[in-house]
């Protein structure tokens, strides 16, 4: 429905169609009675249904639309407050200022002067970009099972916990939670569909899509957008110094030993490598991997083929489903498996999916710590650098 398009009184509109009408016409006089009539419902039933579906009362939703658009106008234009008030549907500049402060917590003029903006992310890996810059998002995926590390660290600080398993952006529950957080911007690592951007834009929420593929470049993008360039440079410098120290420690132990990364899934064995592991193990630590794993892969391999490679050390993922666990218990008794050099010498290192499947600054830092501890037995705390914003805190 286009902006200011008149609805057809003879046609009953669905609840969502009424909501779309509100989004397109938030600057016009709107009230529960008129909106309920569009859906051919009583005002009380319409109000109850709307709040149940979208998490806000009808008029609170209208207010949210207006204030979010006011925030965008304050961020992006030099309009005077009286003109902004009129643009979003308020005839009284002072009434608008009172509503704005009640919704946002600061006056429009204070918001205009502020340099920080409320940020939301839809991916756990992007949470790993924000926290190293000292930014706590207002909404992010958090779950005790799927994102245990971030959940334990930030559950009290992040107000809105989105679903940790990514869903489509038109998920109504996700949208209700996200809008409830009242972010100024959503940072995404993928290009969102046009309809999704429109839905967010309709609520005055900007979208920043990362353009880089490497985590350092992504971190610099986020830092540039949020004014955290100095924190970014300090964190990367600290990480690189830590890499150099860990690399020296590992090379003194490993000599020419080669690693194979093995992933067990159901009854299959796979040579596995992902982007983060490749960058950490090959590029940063300059470790030797078997030739087949020099690039990201997930390649099936037989036990006999693994034995022909016979690496000195094995990094091992075992999927958590029951079928894979039974296969793993069986594999440990197989004579070929028991004959592998890595198994015989005790150089078999089980890895959890968290953080090894994640691609973010926090995950890279945690994987670096785990490699040092697994191979040398040394605690990473002695050279612990930046993890959560301020340098050299010595914390995880």
């Amino acid at each position: 429905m286009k902006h200011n398009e008149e609805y057809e009184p003879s046609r009953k509109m669905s609840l969502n169609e009424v909501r779309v009408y509100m989004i397109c016409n938030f600057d016009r006089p709107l009230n529960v009675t008129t909106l309920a009539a569009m859906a051919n419902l009583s005002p009380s039933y319409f109000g109850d249904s709307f709040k149940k579906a979208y998490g806000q009362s009808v008029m609170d939703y209208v207010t949210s639309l207006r204030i979010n658009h006011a925030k965008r106008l304050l961020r992006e234009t030099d309009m005077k407050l009286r003109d902004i008030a009129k643009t979003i549907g308020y005839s009284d500049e002072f009434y608008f200022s009172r509503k704005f402060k009640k919704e946002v917590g600061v006056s429009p003029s204070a918001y205009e002067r502020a340099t920080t903006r409320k940020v939301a992310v839809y991916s756990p890996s992007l949470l790993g970009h924000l926290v190293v810059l000292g930014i706590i998002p207002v909404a992010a995926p958090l779950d005790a099972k799927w994102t245990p590390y971030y959940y334990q660290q930030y559950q009290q600080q992040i107000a809105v916990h989105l679903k940790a398993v990514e869903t489509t952006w038109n998920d109504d529950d996700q949208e209700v939670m996200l809008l409830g957080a009242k972010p100024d911007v959503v940072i995404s690592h993928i290009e969102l569909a046009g309809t999704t951007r429109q839905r967010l834009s309709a609520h005055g929420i900007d979208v920043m899509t990362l353009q880089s593929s490497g985590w350092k470049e992504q971190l610099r993008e986020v830092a540039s957008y949020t004014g955290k360039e100095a924190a970014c440079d300090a964190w990367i410098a600290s990480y690189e110094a830590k890499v150099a120290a860990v690399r020296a420690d590992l090379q003194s132990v490993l000599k020419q030993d080669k690693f194979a990364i093995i992933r067990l899934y159901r009854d299959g064995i796979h040579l596995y490598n992902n982007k983060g592991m490749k960058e950490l193990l090959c590029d940063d630590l300059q470790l030797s991997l078997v030739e087949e794993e020099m690039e990201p892969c997930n390649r099936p391999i037989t036990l006999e083929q693994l034995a022909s490679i016979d690496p000195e050390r094995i990094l091992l993922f075992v999927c958590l489903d029951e079928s894979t666990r039974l296969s793993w218990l069986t594999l440990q008794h197989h004579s070929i498996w028991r004959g592998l050099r890595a198994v015989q010498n005790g150089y078999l290192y089980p890895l959890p999916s968290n953080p090894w499947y994640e691609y973010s600054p926090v995950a890279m830092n945690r994987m670096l710590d785990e490699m040092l501890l697994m191979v040398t037995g040394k605690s990473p705390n002695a050279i612990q650098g930046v993890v959560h914003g301020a340098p050299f805190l010595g914390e995880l």
Side-chain angles (χ1 to χ4, degrees), residues 288-306:
S288 297
L289 268 63
V290 297
E291 184 177 351
E292 296 85 348
E293 293 186 305
M294 294 304 292
E295 295 296 333
C297 63
N298 189 22
R299 171 186 158 190
I301 187 175
T302 66
L303 184 55
E304 290 75 16
Q305 289 171 326
L306 179 59

Side-chain angles (χ1 to χ4, degrees), residues 359-384:
Y359 188 65
S360 76
V362 164
M364 298 296 285
N365 191 77
R366 293 176 62 207
M367 291 189 286
L368 186 61
D369 287 345
E370 289 197 9
M371 281 301 298
L372 177 68
L373 186 56
M374 287 189 298
V375 174
T376 70
K378 292 184 178 181
S379 169
N381 292 331
I383 59 169
Q384 182 69 38

Side-chain angles (χ1 to χ4, degrees), residues 15-117:
L15 200 63
N16 188 57
E17 287 175 321
V18 176
R19 182 177 68 130
V20 171
Y21 178 87
M22 294 163 64
I23 290 171
C24 294
N25 297 275
F26 64 87
D27 57 338
R28 303 180 72 183
L30 297 174
N31 60 68
V32 176
T33 300
T34 301
L35 295 169
M38 295 180 183
N40 197 25
L41 298 173
S42 70
S44 61
Y45 186 81
F46 173 77
D48 290 343
S49 300
F50 190 95
K51 186 170 185 177
K52 183 178 180 180
Y54 303 115
Q56 291 179 286
S57 70
V58 175
M59 296 316 297
D60 283 348
Y61 191 83
V62 173
T63 298
S64 178
L65 288 169
R66 290 173 173 173
I67 297 303
N68 283 337
H69 278 272
K71 288 162 65 178
R72 171 172 283 172
L73 293 173
L74 288 166
R75 292 195 304 266
E76 299 177 0
T77 74
D78 296 323
M79 291 175 64
K80 297 183 181 299
L81 290 187
R82 63 174 178 270
D83 295 325
I84 292 177
K86 186 179 297 184
T87 299
I88 65 172
Y90 294 124
S91 57
D92 186 334
E93 171 186 345
F94 301 103
Y95 178 76
F96 157 62
S97 293
R98 291 196 300 272
K99 294 290 284 186
F100 189 98
K101 186 171 184 178
K102 182 179 178 181
E103 287 291 309
V104 182
V106 297
S107 67
S109 56
Y111 179 85
E112 189 175 20
R113 292 193 301 269
T115 57
T116 56
R117 299 294 182 236

Side-chain angles (χ1 to χ4, degrees), residues 182-197:
K182 301 178 181 178
D184 299 312
V185 59
V186 171
I187 299 179
S188 174
H189 65 292
I190 59 174
E191 190 68 39
L192 302 182
T195 53
T196 297
R197 299 179 74 94

